[in-house]
Amino acid sequence: DTGVSQDPRHKITKRGQNVTFRCDPISEHNRLYWYRQTLGQGPEFLTYFQNEAQLEKSRLLSDRFSAERPKGSFSTLEIQRTEQGDSAMYLCASSLQSGYTFGSGTRLTVV
Amino acid sequence: QQQVKQSPQSLIVQKGGIPIINCAYENTAFDYFPWYQQFPGKGPALLIAIRPDVSEKKEGRFTISFNKSAKQFSLHIMDSQPGDSATYFCAASRTISSGSARQLTFGSGTQLTVLP
């Protein structure tokens, strides 16, 4: 499979718990992005990695959110002390030049 | 602040019709304008994109019209089919990180239904 892979596809968690999502980009893509999409809205930019360096962070990314991309390959997005407002689809995308390829996302439900 | 405004929110057409989705932007730093198609449970997939030095681009049944002075652009789907039923997002892109990457700002989406 040469697409962007995200795991898990769905996650239900209780408020206050920590969750971690994983993204495996297309192998030759050095740029990796995380976006968040709430119901009925377009995706919103969260953060960007070039190789292992996190170069951009949106103000949407509160201090409860942390993202890593060790060794410039897969990436993880962790949300600590989840809140109901964190319920959304978390999308990962990768690119080599200007064109993005999105994964199918991780749908998070905080109850 | 919504930087890319998209309309209509939903659209229903008969098979063979030509749905038109409109978008407008404010930020002149945007220099690349893609359209994405999203099916339920899937991530957005790139359909077609245009740069502001071009007024129209056509790929298959999909056409983008771009009006730089009005800061508006639109998607036309010719000979629409039931399989085109999906949510369509316009987006505007600008460079970030000293030009090493691009950030997308999406519209709020249009849910298209093509009736058989």
Side-chain angles (χ1 to χ4, degrees):
Chain A
D1 188 350
T2 58
V4 177
S5 177
Q6 291 191 245
D7 184 71
R9 292 296 311 277
H10 303 276
K11 177 72 177 178
I12 300 175
T13 190
K14 291 183 178 179
R15 190 175 54 182
Q17 296 293 306
N18 299 342
V19 293
T20 300
F21 312 138
R22 176 180 171 124
C23 170
D24 287 274
I26 294 172
S27 58
E28 61 266 29
H29 287 183
N30 60 345
R31 300 180 178 94
L32 186 146
Y33 308 81
W34 285 97
Y35 281 72
R36 180 173 69 187
Q37 184 176 22
T38 53
L39 207 59
Q41 297 297 318
E44 294 175 294
F45 173 80
L46 292 179
T47 190
Y48 156 66
F49 288 86
Q50 182 170 0
N51 300 312
E52 68 277 5
Q54 187 175 21
L55 298 183
E56 290 281 340
K57 290 171 64 173
S58 163
R59 62 176 183 272
L60 292 175
L61 214 64
S62 76
D63 56 6
R64 295 186 298 106
F65 288 69
S66 61
E68 295 182 341
R69 192 183 182 196
K71 302 178 184 177
S73 56
F74 71 92
S75 175
T76 59
L77 178 67
E78 181 184 16
I79 309 174
Q80 296 182 326
R81 306 181 302 281
T82 51
E83 302 172 355
Q84 286 189 319
D86 296 331
S87 295
M89 174 83 85
Y90 289 84
L91 291 163
C92 176
S94 67
S95 76
L96 196 56
Q97 298 294 333
S98 58
Y100 279 37
T101 301
F102 280 92
S104 293
T106 293
R107 179 164 295 284
L108 172 67
T109 303
V110 181
V111 298
Chain B
Q1 181 183 1
Q2 186 182 3
Q3 294 192 54
V4 179
K5 295 184 179 179
Q6 182 171 347
S7 64
Q9 189 174 3
S10 63
L11 192 51
I12 301 174
V13 299
Q14 295 285 341
K15 177 182 173 182
I18 306 176
I20 301 172
I21 304 171
N22 300 298
C23 286
Y25 66 97
E26 290 293 330
N27 190 344
T28 55
F30 293 136
D31 60 359
Y32 179 72
F33 300 87
W35 284 86
Y36 286 84
Q37 179 188 56
Q38 187 175 30
F39 292 103
K42 299 291 187 183
L46 179 66
L47 262 182
I48 185 173
I50 196 167
R51 296 199 179 274
D53 54 347
V54 176
S55 60
E56 185 174 280
K57 183 173 181 180
K58 184 175 181 180
E59 286 185 1
R61 295 184 295 109
F62 300 95
T63 299
I64 301 178
S65 298
F66 191 88
N67 185 329
K68 186 176 180 179
S69 61
K71 299 197 192 91
Q72 295 174 350
F73 56 112
S74 61
L75 176 71
H76 297 59
I77 305 175
M78 306 301 178
D79 187 29
S80 57
Q81 301 296 313
D84 296 330
S85 297
T87 301
Y88 291 81
F89 292 96
C90 62
S93 171
R94 63 181 181 93
T95 57
I96 57 173
S97 292
S98 303
S100 72
R102 294 194 150 270
Q103 178 180 327
L104 294 170
T105 300
F106 285 83
S108 54
T110 296
Q111 188 166 350
L112 173 66
T113 303
V114 181
L115 301 175

Coordinates of all heavy atoms in Angstrom, one line a residue, chain A residues 15-96:
Chain A
R15 N -13.3 11.3 28.9 CA -12.7 12.6 29.1 C -11.7 12.5 30.2 O -11.8 11.8 31.2 CB -13.9 13.6 29.6 CG -13.5 15.0 29.7 CD -14.7 15.9 30.1 NE -15.3 15.4 31.3 CZ -16.4 15.9 31.8 NH1 -17.0 16.9 31.2 NH2 -16.9 15.5 32.9
G16 N -10.5 13.2 29.9 CA -9.4 13.2 30.9 C -8.4 12.1 30.6 O -7.3 12.2 31.1
Q17 N -8.7 11.2 29.7 CA -7.7 10.2 29.3 C -6.7 10.7 28.3 O -7.1 11.7 27.6 CB -8.4 8.9 28.8 CG -9.3 8.2 29.8 CD -8.4 7.6 30.9 OE1 -7.5 6.9 30.7 NE2 -8.8 8.0 32.2
N18 N -5.6 10.1 28.1 CA -4.6 10.5 27.1 C -4.8 9.5 25.9 O -5.1 8.3 26.1 CB -3.2 10.3 27.6 CG -2.9 11.3 28.7 OD1 -3.6 12.2 29.0 ND2 -1.8 10.9 29.5
V19 N -4.7 10.1 24.7 CA -4.7 9.2 23.5 C -3.6 9.5 22.6 O -3.0 10.6 22.6 CB -6.0 9.4 22.7 CG1 -7.2 9.0 23.5 CG2 -6.2 10.9 22.3
T20 N -3.2 8.5 21.8 CA -2.1 8.7 20.8 C -2.5 8.1 19.5 O -3.0 7.0 19.4 CB -0.8 8.0 21.3 OG1 -0.4 8.6 22.6 CG2 0.3 8.2 20.3
F21 N -2.2 8.9 18.4 CA -2.5 8.4 17.1 C -1.2 8.3 16.3 O -0.3 9.0 16.6 CB -3.4 9.4 16.3 CG -4.6 9.9 17.1 CD1 -5.0 11.2 17.1 CD2 -5.4 9.0 17.9 CE1 -6.1 11.7 17.8 CE2 -6.5 9.4 18.6 CZ -6.8 10.8 18.5
R22 N -1.2 7.4 15.3 CA 0.0 7.2 14.5 C -0.3 7.4 13.0 O -1.4 7.1 12.6 CB 0.5 5.7 14.7 CG 1.7 5.4 13.8 CD 2.2 4.0 14.0 NE 3.2 3.7 13.0 CZ 4.4 3.2 13.3 NH1 4.7 3.0 14.6 NH2 5.2 2.9 12.3
C23 N 0.7 8.0 12.4 CA 0.6 8.2 10.9 C 1.8 7.7 10.3 O 2.9 8.0 10.7 CB 0.4 9.7 10.6 SG 0.6 10.1 8.9
D24 N 1.6 6.9 9.2 CA 2.7 6.4 8.4 C 2.6 7.1 7.0 O 1.7 6.8 6.3 CB 2.7 4.9 8.3 CG 3.2 4.2 9.5 OD1 4.4 4.0 9.7 OD2 2.3 3.9 10.4
P25 N 3.5 8.0 6.7 CA 3.4 8.7 5.4 C 3.8 7.9 4.3 O 4.4 6.8 4.5 CB 4.3 9.9 5.6 CG 5.4 9.4 6.5 CD 4.7 8.4 7.5
I26 N 3.7 8.4 3.1 CA 4.3 7.8 1.9 C 5.8 7.8 2.1 O 6.3 8.9 2.4 CB 3.8 8.5 0.6 CG1 2.3 8.3 0.4 CG2 4.6 8.0 -0.6 CD1 1.6 9.1 -0.7
S27 N 6.4 6.7 1.8 CA 7.8 6.6 2.3 C 8.8 7.6 1.7 O 9.7 8.1 2.4 CB 8.3 5.2 1.9 OG 8.2 4.9 0.5
E28 N 8.6 8.1 0.5 CA 9.6 9.0 0.0 C 9.2 10.5 0.3 O 9.9 11.4 -0.1 CB 9.7 8.9 -1.5 CG 8.5 9.1 -2.3 CD 7.7 7.8 -2.6 OE1 7.8 6.9 -1.8 OE2 7.0 7.7 -3.6
H29 N 8.1 10.7 1.0 CA 7.6 12.1 1.3 C 8.4 12.6 2.6 O 8.3 11.9 3.6 CB 6.1 12.1 1.5 CG 5.3 12.0 0.3 ND1 4.0 12.1 0.3 CD2 5.7 11.8 -1.0 CE1 3.5 11.9 -1.0 NE2 4.6 11.8 -1.8
N30 N 9.0 13.7 2.4 CA 9.7 14.3 3.6 C 8.9 15.2 4.4 O 9.2 15.6 5.5 CB 11.0 14.9 3.2 CG 10.8 16.1 2.2 OD1 9.7 16.3 1.6 ND2 11.8 16.9 2.0
R31 N 7.8 15.7 3.9 CA 6.9 16.6 4.6 C 5.7 15.9 5.1 O 5.0 15.1 4.4 CB 6.4 17.7 3.6 CG 7.6 18.6 3.0 CD 7.0 19.6 2.1 NE 8.1 20.5 1.6 CZ 8.7 20.3 0.4 NH1 8.3 19.3 -0.3 NH2 9.6 21.1 0.0
L32 N 5.4 16.2 6.4 CA 4.2 15.5 7.0 C 3.4 16.6 7.8 O 4.0 17.4 8.4 CB 4.7 14.4 8.0 CG 3.6 13.6 8.6 CD1 4.1 12.2 8.8 CD2 3.1 14.1 10.0
Y33 N 2.1 16.5 7.6 CA 1.2 17.5 8.2 C 0.1 16.8 9.0 O -0.3 15.7 8.7 CB 0.5 18.3 7.1 CG 1.3 18.9 6.1 CD1 1.8 18.1 5.0 CD2 1.7 20.2 6.1 CE1 2.6 18.7 4.0 CE2 2.5 20.8 5.1 CZ 2.9 20.0 4.1 OH 3.7 20.6 3.1
W34 N -0.4 17.5 10.1 CA -1.5 17.0 10.8 C -2.6 18.1 10.7 O -2.3 19.3 10.8 CB -1.2 16.8 12.3 CG -0.5 15.6 12.6 CD1 0.9 15.4 12.8 CD2 -1.0 14.2 12.8 NE1 1.2 14.1 13.1 CE2 0.0 13.4 13.1 CE3 -2.3 13.7 12.8 CZ2 -0.1 12.0 13.3 CZ3 -2.5 12.4 13.0 CH2 -1.4 11.5 13.3
Y35 N -3.8 17.7 10.4 CA -5.0 18.6 10.3 C -6.1 18.0 11.2 O -6.1 16.8 11.5 CB -5.5 18.7 8.9 CG -4.8 19.6 8.0 CD1 -3.5 19.3 7.5 CD2 -5.3 20.8 7.6 CE1 -2.8 20.1 6.7 CE2 -4.6 21.7 6.8 CZ -3.3 21.3 6.3 OH -2.6 22.2 5.5
R36 N -7.0 18.8 11.6 CA -8.2 18.4 12.4 C -9.4 18.8 11.7 O -9.5 20.0 11.2 CB -8.1 19.0 13.8 CG -9.3 18.6 14.7 CD -9.1 19.1 16.1 NE -9.3 20.6 16.2 CZ -9.0 21.2 17.3 NH1 -8.6 20.6 18.4 NH2 -9.2 22.5 17.3
Q37 N -10.4 17.9 11.6 CA -11.6 18.2 10.9 C -12.8 17.9 11.9 O -13.0 16.7 12.2 CB -11.8 17.4 9.6 CG -13.0 17.7 8.8 CD -13.1 16.9 7.5 OE1 -12.4 15.9 7.3 NE2 -13.8 17.4 6.6
T38 N -13.6 18.9 12.2 CA -14.8 18.7 13.0 C -16.0 18.5 12.1 O -15.9 18.9 10.9 CB -15.0 19.9 14.0 OG1 -15.0 21.1 13.2 CG2 -13.9 20.0 15.0
L39 N -17.0 18.0 12.6 CA -18.2 17.6 11.8 C -18.7 18.8 11.0 O -19.0 19.9 11.6 CB -19.3 17.0 12.7 CG -20.2 16.0 12.1 CD1 -19.5 14.9 11.5 CD2 -21.2 15.6 13.1
G40 N -18.9 18.6 9.7 CA -19.5 19.7 8.9 C -18.5 20.8 8.6 O -19.0 21.8 8.0
Q41 N -17.3 20.7 8.8 CA -16.3 21.7 8.6 C -15.1 21.2 7.7 O -14.9 20.0 7.6 CB -15.7 22.3 9.9 CG -16.8 22.9 10.7 CD -17.4 24.2 10.0 OE1 -16.8 25.0 9.4 NE2 -18.7 24.2 10.2
G42 N -14.4 22.1 7.1 CA -13.2 21.7 6.4 C -12.0 21.4 7.4 O -12.1 21.9 8.6
P43 N -11.0 20.7 7.0 CA -9.9 20.4 7.9 C -9.1 21.7 8.2 O -9.1 22.7 7.4 CB -9.0 19.5 7.0 CG -9.9 18.9 6.0 CD -10.9 20.0 5.7
E44 N -8.6 21.8 9.4 CA -7.8 22.9 9.9 C -6.4 22.5 10.2 O -6.2 21.4 10.9 CB -8.4 23.5 11.2 CG -9.8 24.1 11.0 CD -10.4 24.6 12.3 OE1 -10.7 23.7 13.1 OE2 -10.6 25.8 12.4
F45 N -5.4 23.3 9.8 CA -4.0 22.9 10.0 C -3.6 22.9 11.5 O -4.0 23.8 12.2 CB -3.2 24.0 9.3 CG -1.7 23.9 9.5 CD1 -0.9 23.0 8.8 CD2 -1.1 24.8 10.4 CE1 0.5 22.9 9.0 CE2 0.3 24.7 10.6 CZ 1.1 23.8 10.0
L46 N -2.9 21.9 11.9 CA -2.4 21.8 13.2 C -0.9 22.0 13.3 O -0.4 22.8 14.0 CB -2.7 20.4 13.9 CG -4.2 20.2 14.2 CD1 -4.4 18.8 14.7 CD2 -4.8 21.2 15.1
T47 N -0.1 21.2 12.5 CA 1.3 21.2 12.6 C 2.0 20.6 11.4 O 1.3 19.9 10.6 CB 1.8 20.5 13.9 OG1 3.2 20.8 14.1 CG2 1.6 19.0 13.8
Y48 N 3.3 20.9 11.2 CA 4.0 20.5 10.0 C 5.4 20.0 10.4 O 6.1 20.6 11.2 CB 4.1 21.6 9.0 CG 5.3 21.6 8.0 CD1 5.3 20.6 7.1 CD2 6.3 22.5 8.1 CE1 6.4 20.5 6.2 CE2 7.4 22.5 7.2 CZ 7.4 21.4 6.3 OH 8.5 21.4 5.4
F49 N 5.8 18.9 9.8 CA 7.2 18.4 10.0 C 7.9 18.3 8.7 O 7.3 17.9 7.7 CB 7.1 16.9 10.6 CG 6.7 16.8 12.0 CD1 5.4 16.8 12.3 CD2 7.7 16.8 13.0 CE1 5.0 16.7 13.6 CE2 7.3 16.7 14.3 CZ 5.9 16.6 14.6
Q50 N 9.2 18.7 8.7 CA 10.0 18.4 7.5 C 11.1 17.4 8.1 O 11.9 17.8 9.0 CB 10.7 19.6 6.9 CG 11.5 19.3 5.7 CD 12.0 20.5 5.0 OE1 11.7 21.6 5.3 NE2 12.8 20.3 3.9
N51 N 11.0 16.2 7.6 CA 11.8 15.2 8.1 C 11.5 15.0 9.6 O 10.3 14.9 10.0 CB 13.3 15.4 7.9 CG 13.6 15.4 6.4 OD1 13.2 14.6 5.6 ND2 14.3 16.5 6.0
E52 N 12.4 15.1 10.5 CA 12.1 15.0 12.0 C 11.8 16.3 12.7 O 11.4 16.3 13.8 CB 13.2 14.2 12.7 CG 14.5 14.9 12.8 CD 15.4 14.8 11.6 OE1 14.9 14.3 10.6 OE2 16.5 15.4 11.6
A53 N 12.0 17.4 12.0 CA 11.9 18.7 12.6 C 10.4 19.2 12.5 O 9.9 19.3 11.4 CB 12.8 19.7 11.9
Q54 N 9.9 19.6 13.6 CA 8.6 20.2 13.7 C 8.8 21.7 13.4 O 9.2 22.5 14.3 CB 7.9 20.0 15.0 CG 6.4 20.5 15.1 CD 5.7 20.1 16.4 OE1 6.4 19.8 17.4 NE2 4.4 20.1 16.4
L55 N 8.4 22.2 12.2 CA 8.7 23.6 11.8 C 7.5 24.6 12.0 O 7.8 25.8 12.0 CB 9.2 23.6 10.4 CG 10.4 22.8 10.1 CD1 10.9 22.9 8.6 CD2 11.6 23.2 11.0
E56 N 6.3 24.1 12.0 CA 5.2 25.0 12.2 C 4.2 24.4 13.1 O 3.9 23.2 13.1 CB 4.5 25.2 10.8 CG 5.3 26.0 9.8 CD 5.2 27.5 10.1 OE1 4.3 28.0 10.8 OE2 6.1 28.2 9.6
K57 N 3.6 25.2 14.0 CA 2.5 24.8 14.9 C 1.4 25.8 14.9 O 1.7 27.0 15.1 CB 3.0 24.6 16.3 CG 4.0 23.4 16.5 CD 4.7 23.4 17.9 CE 3.7 23.3 19.0 NZ 4.4 23.1 20.3
S58 N 0.2 25.4 14.7 CA -1.0 26.3 14.8 C -1.3 26.6 16.2 O -1.0 25.9 17.1 CB -2.2 25.6 14.1 OG -3.4 26.3 14.5
R59 N -1.9 27.8 16.4 CA -2.3 28.1 17.8 C -3.5 27.2 18.2 O -3.8 27.2 19.4 CB -2.7 29.6 17.9 CG -3.9 30.0 17.0 CD -4.3 31.4 17.2 NE -5.5 31.8 16.4 CZ -5.4 32.3 15.2 NH1 -4.2 32.5 14.6 NH2 -6.5 32.6 14.6
L60 N -4.0 26.5 17.3 CA -5.0 25.5 17.7 C -4.4 24.3 18.5 O -5.1 23.6 19.2 CB -5.7 24.8 16.4 CG -6.6 25.7 15.5 CD1 -7.0 24.9 14.3 CD2 -7.8 26.2 16.3
L61 N -3.1 24.2 18.3 CA -2.4 23.1 19.0 C -2.1 23.6 20.4 O -1.0 24.1 20.7 CB -1.1 22.8 18.2 CG -0.7 21.3 18.2 CD1 -1.7 20.4 17.6 CD2 0.7 21.2 17.6
S62 N -3.0 23.3 21.4 CA -2.8 23.7 22.8 C -1.7 22.9 23.4 O -1.2 21.9 22.8 CB -4.1 23.5 23.5 OG -4.3 22.2 23.9
D63 N -1.3 23.3 24.6 CA -0.2 22.5 25.3 C -0.6 21.1 25.7 O 0.2 20.3 26.1 CB 0.3 23.3 26.5 CG -0.8 23.6 27.5 OD1 -2.0 23.1 27.3 OD2 -0.6 24.4 28.5
R64 N -1.9 20.7 25.5 CA -2.3 19.3 25.7 C -1.9 18.5 24.5 O -2.0 17.2 24.6 CB -3.8 19.3 26.0 CG -4.2 20.0 27.3 CD -5.7 19.7 27.6 NE -6.5 20.2 26.5 CZ -7.2 19.5 25.6 NH1 -7.0 18.2 25.6 NH2 -7.9 20.1 24.7
F65 N -1.6 19.1 23.4 CA -1.3 18.4 22.2 C 0.2 18.3 22.0 O 0.9 19.3 22.2 CB -1.9 19.0 21.0 CG -3.4 18.9 20.9 CD1 -4.2 19.6 21.8 CD2 -3.9 18.2 19.8 CE1 -5.6 19.5 21.6 CE2 -5.3 18.1 19.7 CZ -6.1 18.7 20.6
S66 N 0.7 17.2 21.6 CA 2.2 17.1 21.2 C 2.3 16.1 20.0 O 1.6 15.1 20.0 CB 3.0 16.6 22.4 OG 2.6 15.4 22.8
A67 N 3.2 16.5 19.1 CA 3.4 15.7 18.0 C 4.9 15.4 17.8 O 5.7 16.3 18.2 CB 2.8 16.3 16.7
E68 N 5.2 14.2 17.3 CA 6.6 13.9 17.1 C 6.7 13.2 15.8 O 5.8 12.5 15.3 CB 7.1 13.0 18.2 CG 7.1 13.6 19.6 CD 7.7 12.6 20.6 OE1 7.7 11.4 20.4 OE2 8.1 13.1 21.7
R69 N 7.9 13.2 15.3 CA 8.3 12.4 14.1 C 9.7 11.9 14.2 O 10.6 12.4 13.5 CB 8.1 13.2 12.8 CG 8.1 12.4 11.5 CD 8.0 13.2 10.3 NE 8.0 12.3 9.1 CZ 8.2 12.8 7.9 NH1 8.4 14.0 7.6 NH2 8.1 11.9 6.9
P70 N 9.9 11.0 15.0 CA 11.3 10.5 15.3 C 11.8 9.9 14.0 O 11.1 9.2 13.2 CB 11.1 9.4 16.4 CG 9.7 9.0 16.3 CD 8.9 10.2 15.8
K71 N 13.1 10.2 13.7 CA 13.8 9.6 12.5 C 13.1 10.0 11.2 O 13.5 9.4 10.2 CB 13.9 8.1 12.6 CG 14.6 7.6 13.9 CD 14.6 6.1 13.9 CE 15.2 5.6 15.2 NZ 15.2 4.1 15.4
G72 N 12.2 11.0 11.2 CA 11.7 11.5 10.0 C 10.8 10.5 9.2 O 10.6 10.6 8.0
S73 N 10.3 9.4 9.9 CA 9.4 8.5 9.2 C 8.0 8.6 9.7 O 7.4 9.6 9.4 CB 10.0 7.1 9.5 OG 10.1 6.8 10.9
F74 N 7.5 7.7 10.5 CA 6.1 7.8 11.0 C 6.0 9.0 12.0 O 7.1 9.5 12.5 CB 5.7 6.5 11.7 CG 6.4 6.2 13.0 CD1 5.8 6.7 14.2 CD2 7.6 5.6 13.1 CE1 6.4 6.4 15.4 CE2 8.2 5.3 14.3 CZ 7.6 5.7 15.4
S75 N 4.8 9.4 12.3 CA 4.6 10.5 13.2 C 3.5 10.1 14.2 O 2.6 9.2 13.9 CB 4.1 11.8 12.5 OG 3.8 12.8 13.4
T76 N 3.6 10.6 15.4 CA 2.5 10.4 16.4 C 2.0 11.7 16.9 O 2.7 12.7 16.9 CB 3.0 9.6 17.6 OG1 4.1 10.4 18.2 CG2 3.5 8.2 17.3
L77 N 0.7 11.7 17.2 CA 0.0 12.9 17.8 C -0.6 12.5 19.1 O -1.4 11.5 19.1 CB -1.1 13.4 16.8 CG -1.9 14.6 17.3 CD1 -1.0 15.9 17.4 CD2 -3.1 14.9 16.4
E78 N -0.2 13.1 20.2 CA -0.8 12.7 21.5 C -1.6 13.9 22.0 O -1.2 15.0 21.9 CB 0.4 12.4 22.5 CG -0.2 12.0 23.8 CD 0.9 11.8 24.9 OE1 2.1 12.2 24.7 OE2 0.6 11.2 25.9
I79 N -2.8 13.5 22.6 CA -3.6 14.5 23.2 C -3.7 14.0 24.7 O -4.1 12.9 25.0 CB -5.0 14.6 22.6 CG1 -5.0 14.8 21.1 CG2 -5.8 15.7 23.3 CD1 -6.3 14.7 20.4
Q80 N -3.3 14.9 25.6 CA -3.4 14.6 27.0 C -4.6 15.2 27.6 O -5.1 16.3 27.1 CB -2.1 15.2 27.7 CG -0.8 14.5 27.3 CD 0.4 15.1 28.0 OE1 0.4 16.2 28.4 NE2 1.3 14.2 28.3
R81 N -5.1 14.6 28.6 CA -6.3 15.1 29.4 C -7.4 15.5 28.4 O -7.9 16.6 28.3 CB -5.9 16.3 30.3 CG -4.8 15.9 31.2 CD -4.4 17.1 32.1 NE -4.1 18.3 31.3 CZ -2.9 18.5 30.8 NH1 -2.0 17.6 30.9 NH2 -2.7 19.7 30.2
T82 N -7.9 14.5 27.6 CA -8.8 14.8 26.5 C -10.1 15.5 27.1 O -10.6 15.3 28.2 CB -9.2 13.6 25.8 OG1 -9.7 12.6 26.7 CG2 -8.1 13.1 24.9
E83 N -10.6 16.4 26.2 CA -11.9 17.1 26.5 C -12.9 16.8 25.4 O -12.5 16.4 24.3 CB -11.6 18.6 26.5 CG -10.5 19.1 27.5 CD -10.2 20.5 27.4 OE1 -10.6 21.2 26.5 OE2 -9.4 21.0 28.3
Q84 N -14.2 17.0 25.7 CA -15.2 16.7 24.7 C -15.0 17.5 23.4 O -15.2 17.0 22.3 CB -16.6 17.0 25.3 CG -17.0 15.9 26.3 CD -18.4 16.0 26.7 OE1 -18.9 17.1 26.9 NE2 -19.1 14.9 26.8
G85 N -14.4 18.7 23.5 CA -14.2 19.5 22.4 C -13.1 19.0 21.5 O -12.9 19.5 20.3
D86 N -12.3 18.0 21.9 CA -11.3 17.4 21.1 C -11.9 16.4 20.1 O -11.2 15.9 19.2 CB -10.3 16.6 22.0 CG -9.5 17.6 22.9 OD1 -9.3 18.8 22.5 OD2 -9.1 17.1 24.0
S87 N -13.2 16.0 20.3 CA -13.8 15.1 19.4 C -13.8 15.6 17.9 O -14.2 16.7 17.7 CB -15.3 14.8 19.8 OG -15.3 14.2 21.0
A88 N -13.2 14.9 17.1 CA -12.9 15.3 15.7 C -12.3 14.2 14.9 O -11.9 13.1 15.5 CB -12.0 16.5 15.6
M89 N -12.1 14.4 13.6 CA -11.3 13.5 12.8 C -9.9 14.2 12.7 O -9.8 15.3 12.4 CB -11.9 13.4 11.3 CG -11.1 12.7 10.4 SD -11.3 10.9 10.5 CE -12.7 10.7 9.4
Y90 N -8.9 13.4 13.0 CA -7.5 13.9 12.9 C -6.9 13.3 11.7 O -6.8 12.0 11.5 CB -6.8 13.5 14.2 CG -7.3 14.3 15.4 CD1 -8.4 13.9 16.1 CD2 -6.7 15.5 15.7 CE1 -8.9 14.7 17.1 CE2 -7.1 16.3 16.7 CZ -8.3 15.9 17.4 OH -8.8 16.7 18.4
L91 N -6.5 14.2 10.7 CA -6.0 13.8 9.4 C -4.5 14.0 9.3 O -4.0 15.0 9.8 CB -6.7 14.6 8.3 CG -8.2 14.3 8.1 CD1 -8.8 15.4 7.3 CD2 -8.4 13.0 7.4
C92 N -3.9 13.1 8.8 CA -2.4 13.2 8.5 C -2.3 13.3 7.0 O -3.0 12.6 6.2 CB -1.7 12.0 9.0 SG 0.1 11.9 8.7
A93 N -1.3 14.1 6.5 CA -1.0 14.2 5.1 C 0.5 14.2 4.9 O 1.2 14.6 5.8 CB -1.7 15.4 4.5
S94 N 0.9 13.8 3.7 CA 2.3 13.9 3.4 C 2.5 14.4 2.0 O 1.6 14.4 1.2 CB 3.1 12.5 3.6 OG 2.6 11.6 2.6
S95 N 3.7 15.0 1.8 CA 3.9 15.5 0.4 C 5.4 15.5 0.1 O 6.2 15.5 1.1 CB 3.4 17.0 0.3 OG 4.2 17.9 1.0
L96 N 5.7 15.6 -1.1 CA 7.1 15.7 -1.6 C 7.3 17.2 -2.1 O 8.3 17.8 -1.8 CB 7.4 14.7 -2.7 CG 8.8 14.4 -3.0 CD1 9.6 14.0 -1.8 CD2 8.9 13.4 -4.1

